[in-house]
Amino acid sequence: MTGIRLTAPAPGWAIDADVVVVGSGVAGLTTALRCAAAGLATVVVTKARLDDGSTRWAQGGIAAALGEGDTPEQHLADTLVAGAGLCDESAVRTLVTEGPDAVRRLIKTGAHFDTTDTGDIALTREGGHHRRRIAHAGGDATGAEISRALVEAVRSAALHTVENALVLDLLTDAEGRTAGVTLHVMGEGQHDGVGAVHAPAVVLATGGMGQVFSATTNPPVSTGDGVALALRAGAEVSDLEFVQFHPTVLFLGADSEGQQPLVSEAVRGEGAHLVDASGTRFMVGQHELAELAPRDIVAKAITRQMQLHGTEHMYLDARHFGAEMWEQRFPTILAACRAHGIDPITEPIPVAPAAHYASGGIRTDLRGRTTVPGLYACGEVACTGVHGANRLASNSLLEGLVFAERIAADIVEDRPRATEAAAPVAKAATLVADRDTERDTERDTEPARSPLLAPEARTTIQRIMTRGAGVLRSAASLVTAADDLEALHNSAAADAWATGPKRAEPGVEAWEATNLLLVSRVLVAAARQREETRGCHWREDRPERDDETWRRHLVVRLTPDRRLVLSRTESEAFPPVQPAGAPDCAAATTTHPTPEEP
């Protein structure tokens, strides 16, 4: 444990449970349903409403070897190619072999997928797949249908849910084992303000961190809260430099910020072409799969064309689909385009890459266990080794589904009930907000803390990251980004001990900005160290892939004095997950110190 906490009021209420699941996407709700079905007292905490996470926005579908002639081995091969040498093969094999049955269980839970005239599940192709293996629902509303089915199942099972709640920090017992979480509920209701859920098992399924960039497909709630919590709790994170930029996001203008409309890869899977302003296809000859190459290759090709032509976007041409296909197969995308003045039936769609998916995250084993005992991670917040340096299209929903079931099985099998668990130690609660009378002694008597950022720092962080650590990166851009982020961090540290208006006060927007800064610092530190181009990490100054030196993972942890320590693994295999504080299995270590607080 690092002892680092967000500054927040002390918990004013508490719930006891056997397991608390943080997040309500496919990963979180599947875990919760399986735990509850086994008789465990389960609490679901989610940042907005139950159906407001990233799962709902997934358009393309869920990948699994369900079609005639397809096999898990073929799905494995495509995933390993997309991962550019950094996939954990055992994790991928787990995904592709357990995936088909997991999808069938999802259907039994109530999810309805599109079917053919014969009643079979309709399958399409996406980038990197050599076969049609993407199951979809409502044409291009797969995530919304999965979310609907799981939310209905959770409500039918009468699970205890806490909505509109931002998780703050991990609680631990005297031995350093997980004992629950602190959280802040936004608005009035059964619970309000800062409270705690006491449980011997905590599952983080908080989704991604796309909001570290100015333009992203992620919803506003995706601020890296789970990764930041895990780092403060002493857990290891890995591969955070591998952020996938979706190649075809509806271009709304150079100054557009926040969540952007996605134009699903399934559109290309059905035959749409990427073209420049003159209508010339530019993916032909660049890859055997042309427009259906892995996403990193397509995103790089679009970016190169933008540089070559001096433009801010390229085009996706699907006019040949005709009105009927657009209306039946892609009604969500059609509506989004028309809402922004584009009619894809009669004109090409302007597209450009935007931040989409974090391939890295909190490091876990094949049962979802992190390096902190009792703490699990699942879905986009986790790094299972499945995605390597670049996620294969539509493997994300499947990963959440498969590993959620594995986590639930592990909790049911090995973890004590709440009545048998040790109580959280008092010091594990987040630090009190009233520092005026305590600030002179806290430096000596309390553990380190994350200085709170003012809410307006969020936009500053996003612009720093977009300029310095976006699709194109270089040593120079990353140094500038690191310096700018460190300046923000130091300024917040100085203001933390101030009185009056300069001091950021605890609150949702300040906590989110603070989490964004922490994950941004980790991402940039890892991107600086990885001096090669691999998967979705593209270094202009290091354009070649270097397997001899860099077919390795970068593992990052936060020390009690708030330094980032980067370790490079000895091979492409992850070291075993072991309790935090045990000897490192990594070969090389780099420390990124944080200056002393004033």
Side-chain angles (χ1 to χ4, degrees), residues 500-531:
K502 287 193 68 175
R503 190 179 73 186
E505 293 300 324
V508 171
E509 292 179 336
W511 290 322
E512 286 183 331
T514 302
N515 287 339
L516 284 171
L517 178 61
L518 177 55
V519 297
S520 295
R521 290 174 61 221
V522 174
L523 192 161
V524 169
R528 287 180 67 185
Q529 183 146 333
R530 183 172 291 279
E531 295 181 332

PDB file of all heavy atoms in Angstrom, residues 500-531:
ATOM      1  N   GLY A 500      -7.479  29.964   1.170  1.00  0.00           N
ATOM      2  CA  GLY A 500      -8.141  30.907   0.291  1.00  0.00           C
ATOM      3  C   GLY A 500      -8.482  30.299  -1.053  1.00  0.00           C
ATOM      4  O   GLY A 500      -8.512  29.087  -1.232  1.00  0.00           O
ATOM      5  N   PRO A 501      -8.704  31.132  -2.066  1.00  0.00           N
ATOM      6  CA  PRO A 501      -9.259  30.674  -3.339  1.00  0.00           C
ATOM      7  C   PRO A 501      -8.317  29.805  -4.167  1.00  0.00           C
ATOM      8  O   PRO A 501      -8.766  29.105  -5.063  1.00  0.00           O
ATOM      9  CB  PRO A 501      -9.580  31.989  -4.076  1.00  0.00           C
ATOM     10  CG  PRO A 501      -8.691  33.012  -3.450  1.00  0.00           C
ATOM     11  CD  PRO A 501      -8.575  32.609  -2.009  1.00  0.00           C
ATOM     12  N   LYS A 502      -7.000  29.850  -3.924  1.00  0.00           N
ATOM     13  CA  LYS A 502      -6.080  29.059  -4.748  1.00  0.00           C
ATOM     14  C   LYS A 502      -6.226  27.564  -4.481  1.00  0.00           C
ATOM     15  O   LYS A 502      -5.909  26.745  -5.333  1.00  0.00           O
ATOM     16  CB  LYS A 502      -4.630  29.476  -4.486  1.00  0.00           C
ATOM     17  CG  LYS A 502      -4.258  30.834  -5.074  1.00  0.00           C
ATOM     18  CD  LYS A 502      -2.759  31.039  -5.056  1.00  0.00           C
ATOM     19  CE  LYS A 502      -2.067  30.090  -6.023  1.00  0.00           C
ATOM     20  NZ  LYS A 502      -0.627  30.337  -6.106  1.00  0.00           N
ATOM     21  N   ARG A 503      -6.660  27.203  -3.290  1.00  0.00           N
ATOM     22  CA  ARG A 503      -6.714  25.805  -2.922  1.00  0.00           C
ATOM     23  C   ARG A 503      -7.932  25.138  -3.548  1.00  0.00           C
ATOM     24  O   ARG A 503      -9.069  25.586  -3.369  1.00  0.00           O
ATOM     25  CB  ARG A 503      -6.773  25.674  -1.398  1.00  0.00           C
ATOM     26  CG  ARG A 503      -6.601  24.247  -0.900  1.00  0.00           C
ATOM     27  CD  ARG A 503      -6.635  24.206   0.614  1.00  0.00           C
ATOM     28  NE  ARG A 503      -7.997  24.426   1.112  1.00  0.00           N
ATOM     29  CZ  ARG A 503      -8.300  24.549   2.392  1.00  0.00           C
ATOM     30  NH1 ARG A 503      -7.339  24.541   3.290  1.00  0.00           N
ATOM     31  NH2 ARG A 503      -9.552  24.728   2.769  1.00  0.00           N
ATOM     32  N   ALA A 504      -7.703  24.038  -4.290  1.00  0.00           N
ATOM     33  CA  ALA A 504      -8.809  23.296  -4.893  1.00  0.00           C
ATOM     34  C   ALA A 504      -9.570  22.558  -3.795  1.00  0.00           C
ATOM     35  O   ALA A 504      -8.977  21.896  -2.949  1.00  0.00           O
ATOM     36  CB  ALA A 504      -8.288  22.307  -5.921  1.00  0.00           C
ATOM     37  N   GLU A 505     -10.874  22.690  -3.811  1.00  0.00           N
ATOM     38  CA  GLU A 505     -11.699  22.045  -2.804  1.00  0.00           C
ATOM     39  C   GLU A 505     -12.158  20.668  -3.286  1.00  0.00           C
ATOM     40  O   GLU A 505     -12.365  20.453  -4.476  1.00  0.00           O
ATOM     41  CB  GLU A 505     -12.912  22.919  -2.481  1.00  0.00           C
ATOM     42  CG  GLU A 505     -12.562  24.228  -1.792  1.00  0.00           C
ATOM     43  CD  GLU A 505     -11.858  24.006  -0.460  1.00  0.00           C
ATOM     44  OE1 GLU A 505     -12.201  23.022   0.247  1.00  0.00           O
ATOM     45  OE2 GLU A 505     -10.958  24.797  -0.126  1.00  0.00           O
ATOM     46  N   PRO A 506     -12.312  19.728  -2.359  1.00  0.00           N
ATOM     47  CA  PRO A 506     -12.781  18.395  -2.753  1.00  0.00           C
ATOM     48  C   PRO A 506     -14.132  18.454  -3.447  1.00  0.00           C
ATOM     49  O   PRO A 506     -15.033  19.201  -3.044  1.00  0.00           O
ATOM     50  CB  PRO A 506     -12.887  17.660  -1.409  1.00  0.00           C
ATOM     51  CG  PRO A 506     -11.958  18.381  -0.499  1.00  0.00           C
ATOM     52  CD  PRO A 506     -12.018  19.816  -0.915  1.00  0.00           C
ATOM     53  N   GLY A 507     -14.272  17.686  -4.486  1.00  0.00           N
ATOM     54  CA  GLY A 507     -15.514  17.632  -5.255  1.00  0.00           C
ATOM     55  C   GLY A 507     -15.302  16.779  -6.487  1.00  0.00           C
ATOM     56  O   GLY A 507     -14.159  16.471  -6.859  1.00  0.00           O
ATOM     57  N   VAL A 508     -16.370  16.379  -7.135  1.00  0.00           N
ATOM     58  CA  VAL A 508     -16.284  15.442  -8.252  1.00  0.00           C
ATOM     59  C   VAL A 508     -15.349  15.943  -9.342  1.00  0.00           C
ATOM     60  O   VAL A 508     -14.483  15.206  -9.844  1.00  0.00           O
ATOM     61  CB  VAL A 508     -17.686  15.163  -8.825  1.00  0.00           C
ATOM     62  CG1 VAL A 508     -17.596  14.356 -10.119  1.00  0.00           C
ATOM     63  CG2 VAL A 508     -18.537  14.428  -7.800  1.00  0.00           C
ATOM     64  N   GLU A 509     -15.497  17.202  -9.755  1.00  0.00           N
ATOM     65  CA  GLU A 509     -14.688  17.709 -10.861  1.00  0.00           C
ATOM     66  C   GLU A 509     -13.212  17.781 -10.485  1.00  0.00           C
ATOM     67  O   GLU A 509     -12.327  17.513 -11.312  1.00  0.00           O
ATOM     68  CB  GLU A 509     -15.208  19.075 -11.297  1.00  0.00           C
ATOM     69  CG  GLU A 509     -16.588  19.013 -11.949  1.00  0.00           C
ATOM     70  CD  GLU A 509     -17.092  20.384 -12.352  1.00  0.00           C
ATOM     71  OE1 GLU A 509     -16.647  21.387 -11.752  1.00  0.00           O
ATOM     72  OE2 GLU A 509     -17.920  20.449 -13.273  1.00  0.00           O
ATOM     73  N   ALA A 510     -12.902  18.144  -9.243  1.00  0.00           N
ATOM     74  CA  ALA A 510     -11.505  18.182  -8.791  1.00  0.00           C
ATOM     75  C   ALA A 510     -10.933  16.775  -8.702  1.00  0.00           C
ATOM     76  O   ALA A 510      -9.776  16.537  -9.081  1.00  0.00           O
ATOM     77  CB  ALA A 510     -11.406  18.885  -7.444  1.00  0.00           C
ATOM     78  N   TRP A 511     -11.707  15.829  -8.206  1.00  0.00           N
ATOM     79  CA  TRP A 511     -11.224  14.444  -8.123  1.00  0.00           C
ATOM     80  C   TRP A 511     -10.988  13.874  -9.511  1.00  0.00           C
ATOM     81  O   TRP A 511      -9.987  13.178  -9.748  1.00  0.00           O
ATOM     82  CB  TRP A 511     -12.240  13.595  -7.362  1.00  0.00           C
ATOM     83  CG  TRP A 511     -12.329  13.912  -5.894  1.00  0.00           C
ATOM     84  CD1 TRP A 511     -11.302  14.240  -5.058  1.00  0.00           C
ATOM     85  CD2 TRP A 511     -13.517  13.939  -5.095  1.00  0.00           C
ATOM     86  NE1 TRP A 511     -11.778  14.470  -3.785  1.00  0.00           N
ATOM     87  CE2 TRP A 511     -13.127  14.293  -3.779  1.00  0.00           C
ATOM     88  CE3 TRP A 511     -14.864  13.702  -5.354  1.00  0.00           C
ATOM     89  CZ2 TRP A 511     -14.053  14.406  -2.731  1.00  0.00           C
ATOM     90  CZ3 TRP A 511     -15.784  13.813  -4.320  1.00  0.00           C
ATOM     91  CH2 TRP A 511     -15.376  14.156  -3.030  1.00  0.00           C
ATOM     92  N   GLU A 512     -11.889  14.147 -10.450  1.00  0.00           N
ATOM     93  CA  GLU A 512     -11.701  13.647 -11.818  1.00  0.00           C
ATOM     94  C   GLU A 512     -10.443  14.241 -12.445  1.00  0.00           C
ATOM     95  O   GLU A 512      -9.664  13.527 -13.093  1.00  0.00           O
ATOM     96  CB  GLU A 512     -12.922  13.978 -12.678  1.00  0.00           C
ATOM     97  CG  GLU A 512     -14.132  13.124 -12.388  1.00  0.00           C
ATOM     98  CD  GLU A 512     -15.285  13.438 -13.320  1.00  0.00           C
ATOM     99  OE1 GLU A 512     -15.391  14.588 -13.786  1.00  0.00           O
ATOM    100  OE2 GLU A 512     -16.082  12.515 -13.595  1.00  0.00           O
ATOM    101  N   ALA A 513     -10.247  15.536 -12.303  1.00  0.00           N
ATOM    102  CA  ALA A 513      -9.053  16.174 -12.865  1.00  0.00           C
ATOM    103  C   ALA A 513      -7.792  15.591 -12.248  1.00  0.00           C
ATOM    104  O   ALA A 513      -6.781  15.372 -12.945  1.00  0.00           O
ATOM    105  CB  ALA A 513      -9.111  17.679 -12.635  1.00  0.00           C
ATOM    106  N   THR A 514      -7.811  15.316 -10.949  1.00  0.00           N
ATOM    107  CA  THR A 514      -6.657  14.734 -10.266  1.00  0.00           C
ATOM    108  C   THR A 514      -6.373  13.334 -10.792  1.00  0.00           C
ATOM    109  O   THR A 514      -5.213  12.962 -11.018  1.00  0.00           O
ATOM    110  CB  THR A 514      -6.910  14.708  -8.751  1.00  0.00           C
ATOM    111  OG1 THR A 514      -7.162  16.045  -8.294  1.00  0.00           O
ATOM    112  CG2 THR A 514      -5.720  14.140  -8.005  1.00  0.00           C
ATOM    113  N   ASN A 515      -7.414  12.538 -11.010  1.00  0.00           N
ATOM    114  CA  ASN A 515      -7.227  11.203 -11.586  1.00  0.00           C
ATOM    115  C   ASN A 515      -6.677  11.281 -13.006  1.00  0.00           C
ATOM    116  O   ASN A 515      -5.791  10.507 -13.393  1.00  0.00           O
ATOM    117  CB  ASN A 515      -8.558  10.447 -11.588  1.00  0.00           C
ATOM    118  CG  ASN A 515      -8.981   9.991 -10.209  1.00  0.00           C
ATOM    119  OD1 ASN A 515      -8.152   9.876  -9.300  1.00  0.00           O
ATOM    120  ND2 ASN A 515     -10.263   9.728 -10.033  1.00  0.00           N
ATOM    121  N   LEU A 516      -7.199  12.216 -13.803  1.00  0.00           N
ATOM    122  CA  LEU A 516      -6.710  12.377 -15.171  1.00  0.00           C
ATOM    123  C   LEU A 516      -5.232  12.721 -15.195  1.00  0.00           C
ATOM    124  O   LEU A 516      -4.478  12.227 -16.045  1.00  0.00           O
ATOM    125  CB  LEU A 516      -7.514  13.462 -15.895  1.00  0.00           C
ATOM    126  CG  LEU A 516      -8.919  13.097 -16.359  1.00  0.00           C
ATOM    127  CD1 LEU A 516      -9.655  14.339 -16.853  1.00  0.00           C
ATOM    128  CD2 LEU A 516      -8.872  12.035 -17.452  1.00  0.00           C
ATOM    129  N   LEU A 517      -4.801  13.570 -14.278  1.00  0.00           N
ATOM    130  CA  LEU A 517      -3.395  13.944 -14.249  1.00  0.00           C
ATOM    131  C   LEU A 517      -2.522  12.742 -13.923  1.00  0.00           C
ATOM    132  O   LEU A 517      -1.476  12.529 -14.559  1.00  0.00           O
ATOM    133  CB  LEU A 517      -3.162  15.057 -13.223  1.00  0.00           C
ATOM    134  CG  LEU A 517      -1.706  15.514 -13.070  1.00  0.00           C
ATOM    135  CD1 LEU A 517      -1.161  16.067 -14.386  1.00  0.00           C
ATOM    136  CD2 LEU A 517      -1.575  16.558 -11.956  1.00  0.00           C
ATOM    137  N   LEU A 518      -2.923  11.930 -12.965  1.00  0.00           N
ATOM    138  CA  LEU A 518      -2.112  10.780 -12.583  1.00  0.00           C
ATOM    139  C   LEU A 518      -1.971   9.794 -13.736  1.00  0.00           C
ATOM    140  O   LEU A 518      -0.854   9.364 -14.066  1.00  0.00           O
ATOM    141  CB  LEU A 518      -2.717  10.089 -11.356  1.00  0.00           C
ATOM    142  CG  LEU A 518      -2.002   8.815 -10.880  1.00  0.00           C
ATOM    143  CD1 LEU A 518      -0.522   9.076 -10.605  1.00  0.00           C
ATOM    144  CD2 LEU A 518      -2.692   8.258  -9.632  1.00  0.00           C
ATOM    145  N   VAL A 519      -3.071   9.427 -14.386  1.00  0.00           N
ATOM    146  CA  VAL A 519      -2.965   8.459 -15.474  1.00  0.00           C
ATOM    147  C   VAL A 519      -2.232   9.059 -16.668  1.00  0.00           C
ATOM    148  O   VAL A 519      -1.532   8.338 -17.398  1.00  0.00           O
ATOM    149  CB  VAL A 519      -4.347   7.903 -15.878  1.00  0.00           C
ATOM    150  CG1 VAL A 519      -4.966   7.137 -14.729  1.00  0.00           C
ATOM    151  CG2 VAL A 519      -5.286   8.980 -16.363  1.00  0.00           C
ATOM    152  N   SER A 520      -2.353  10.366 -16.875  1.00  0.00           N
ATOM    153  CA  SER A 520      -1.616  11.011 -17.964  1.00  0.00           C
ATOM    154  C   SER A 520      -0.119  10.949 -17.714  1.00  0.00           C
ATOM    155  O   SER A 520       0.675  10.704 -18.639  1.00  0.00           O
ATOM    156  CB  SER A 520      -2.056  12.471 -18.112  1.00  0.00           C
ATOM    157  OG  SER A 520      -3.401  12.567 -18.520  1.00  0.00           O
ATOM    158  N   ARG A 521       0.290  11.188 -16.488  1.00  0.00           N
ATOM    159  CA  ARG A 521       1.716  11.126 -16.155  1.00  0.00           C
ATOM    160  C   ARG A 521       2.274   9.720 -16.394  1.00  0.00           C
ATOM    161  O   ARG A 521       3.389   9.563 -16.907  1.00  0.00           O
ATOM    162  CB  ARG A 521       1.930  11.541 -14.695  1.00  0.00           C
ATOM    163  CG  ARG A 521       1.688  13.018 -14.423  1.00  0.00           C
ATOM    164  CD  ARG A 521       1.775  13.325 -12.943  1.00  0.00           C
ATOM    165  NE  ARG A 521       3.098  13.018 -12.408  1.00  0.00           N
ATOM    166  CZ  ARG A 521       3.317  12.438 -11.231  1.00  0.00           C
ATOM    167  NH1 ARG A 521       2.286  12.075 -10.468  1.00  0.00           N
ATOM    168  NH2 ARG A 521       4.546  12.212 -10.825  1.00  0.00           N
ATOM    169  N   VAL A 522       1.494   8.701 -16.040  1.00  0.00           N
ATOM    170  CA  VAL A 522       1.943   7.322 -16.264  1.00  0.00           C
ATOM    171  C   VAL A 522       2.030   7.026 -17.754  1.00  0.00           C
ATOM    172  O   VAL A 522       3.017   6.447 -18.230  1.00  0.00           O
ATOM    173  CB  VAL A 522       0.992   6.330 -15.575  1.00  0.00           C
ATOM    174  CG1 VAL A 522       1.366   4.890 -15.922  1.00  0.00           C
ATOM    175  CG2 VAL A 522       1.013   6.520 -14.062  1.00  0.00           C
ATOM    176  N   LEU A 523       1.007   7.419 -18.504  1.00  0.00           N
ATOM    177  CA  LEU A 523       0.999   7.170 -19.945  1.00  0.00           C
ATOM    178  C   LEU A 523       2.210   7.813 -20.617  1.00  0.00           C
ATOM    179  O   LEU A 523       2.910   7.171 -21.417  1.00  0.00           O
ATOM    180  CB  LEU A 523      -0.302   7.703 -20.538  1.00  0.00           C
ATOM    181  CG  LEU A 523      -0.675   7.327 -21.971  1.00  0.00           C
ATOM    182  CD1 LEU A 523      -2.166   7.551 -22.197  1.00  0.00           C
ATOM    183  CD2 LEU A 523       0.107   8.108 -23.017  1.00  0.00           C
ATOM    184  N   VAL A 524       2.469   9.064 -20.300  1.00  0.00           N
ATOM    185  CA  VAL A 524       3.581   9.782 -20.932  1.00  0.00           C
ATOM    186  C   VAL A 524       4.922   9.187 -20.505  1.00  0.00           C
ATOM    187  O   VAL A 524       5.833   9.033 -21.333  1.00  0.00           O
ATOM    188  CB  VAL A 524       3.510  11.285 -20.597  1.00  0.00           C
ATOM    189  CG1 VAL A 524       4.788  12.000 -21.013  1.00  0.00           C
ATOM    190  CG2 VAL A 524       2.312  11.918 -21.300  1.00  0.00           C
ATOM    191  N   ALA A 525       5.071   8.823 -19.239  1.00  0.00           N
ATOM    192  CA  ALA A 525       6.329   8.224 -18.781  1.00  0.00           C
ATOM    193  C   ALA A 525       6.613   6.927 -19.526  1.00  0.00           C
ATOM    194  O   ALA A 525       7.746   6.667 -19.955  1.00  0.00           O
ATOM    195  CB  ALA A 525       6.273   7.976 -17.269  1.00  0.00           C
ATOM    196  N   ALA A 526       5.584   6.088 -19.723  1.00  0.00           N
ATOM    197  CA  ALA A 526       5.772   4.834 -20.445  1.00  0.00           C
ATOM    198  C   ALA A 526       6.058   5.085 -21.920  1.00  0.00           C
ATOM    199  O   ALA A 526       6.919   4.435 -22.527  1.00  0.00           O
ATOM    200  CB  ALA A 526       4.536   3.959 -20.283  1.00  0.00           C
ATOM    201  N   ALA A 527       5.341   6.039 -22.523  1.00  0.00           N
ATOM    202  CA  ALA A 527       5.557   6.343 -23.945  1.00  0.00           C
ATOM    203  C   ALA A 527       6.954   6.896 -24.190  1.00  0.00           C
ATOM    204  O   ALA A 527       7.554   6.651 -25.242  1.00  0.00           O
ATOM    205  CB  ALA A 527       4.493   7.330 -24.422  1.00  0.00           C
ATOM    206  N   ARG A 528       7.476   7.664 -23.255  1.00  0.00           N
ATOM    207  CA  ARG A 528       8.845   8.171 -23.384  1.00  0.00           C
ATOM    208  C   ARG A 528       9.849   7.032 -23.339  1.00  0.00           C
ATOM    209  O   ARG A 528      10.840   7.019 -24.090  1.00  0.00           O
ATOM    210  CB  ARG A 528       9.164   9.156 -22.259  1.00  0.00           C
ATOM    211  CG  ARG A 528       8.497  10.504 -22.377  1.00  0.00           C
ATOM    212  CD  ARG A 528       8.880  11.401 -21.211  1.00  0.00           C
ATOM    213  NE  ARG A 528      10.295  11.758 -21.236  1.00  0.00           N
ATOM    214  CZ  ARG A 528      10.905  12.460 -20.283  1.00  0.00           C
ATOM    215  NH1 ARG A 528      10.212  12.874 -19.217  1.00  0.00           N
ATOM    216  NH2 ARG A 528      12.183  12.765 -20.385  1.00  0.00           N
ATOM    217  N   GLN A 529       9.601   6.081 -22.462  1.00  0.00           N
ATOM    218  CA  GLN A 529      10.574   4.998 -22.303  1.00  0.00           C
ATOM    219  C   GLN A 529      10.553   4.029 -23.479  1.00  0.00           C
ATOM    220  O   GLN A 529      11.595   3.512 -23.870  1.00  0.00           O
ATOM    221  CB  GLN A 529      10.300   4.236 -21.007  1.00  0.00           C
ATOM    222  CG  GLN A 529      11.327   3.130 -20.752  1.00  0.00           C
ATOM    223  CD  GLN A 529      11.614   2.938 -19.283  1.00  0.00           C
ATOM    224  OE1 GLN A 529      11.476   3.858 -18.481  1.00  0.00           O
ATOM    225  NE2 GLN A 529      12.026   1.742 -18.919  1.00  0.00           N
ATOM    226  N   ARG A 530       9.380   3.784 -24.067  1.00  0.00           N
ATOM    227  CA  ARG A 530       9.286   2.822 -25.177  1.00  0.00           C
ATOM    228  C   ARG A 530       9.759   3.483 -26.462  1.00  0.00           C
ATOM    229  O   ARG A 530       8.993   4.105 -27.196  1.00  0.00           O
ATOM    230  CB  ARG A 530       7.851   2.300 -25.322  1.00  0.00           C
ATOM    231  CG  ARG A 530       7.718   1.244 -26.418  1.00  0.00           C
ATOM    232  CD  ARG A 530       6.357   0.590 -26.430  1.00  0.00           C
ATOM    233  NE  ARG A 530       6.141  -0.255 -25.273  1.00  0.00           N
ATOM    234  CZ  ARG A 530       6.593  -1.507 -25.138  1.00  0.00           C
ATOM    235  NH1 ARG A 530       7.294  -2.056 -26.124  1.00  0.00           N
ATOM    236  NH2 ARG A 530       6.350  -2.196 -24.047  1.00  0.00           N
ATOM    237  N   GLU A 531      11.032   3.312 -26.767  1.00  0.00           N
ATOM    238  CA  GLU A 531      11.648   3.983 -27.909  1.00  0.00           C
ATOM    239  C   GLU A 531      11.561   3.107 -29.153  1.00  0.00           C
ATOM    240  O   GLU A 531      12.565   2.634 -29.697  1.00  0.00           O
ATOM    241  CB  GLU A 531      13.093   4.345 -27.577  1.00  0.00           C
ATOM    242  CG  GLU A 531      13.201   5.371 -26.441  1.00  0.00           C
ATOM    243  CD  GLU A 531      14.638   5.744 -26.132  1.00  0.00           C
ATOM    244  OE1 GLU A 531      15.556   4.906 -26.354  1.00  0.00           O
ATOM    245  OE2 GLU A 531      14.855   6.871 -25.663  1.00  0.00           O
TER     246      GLU A 531
END
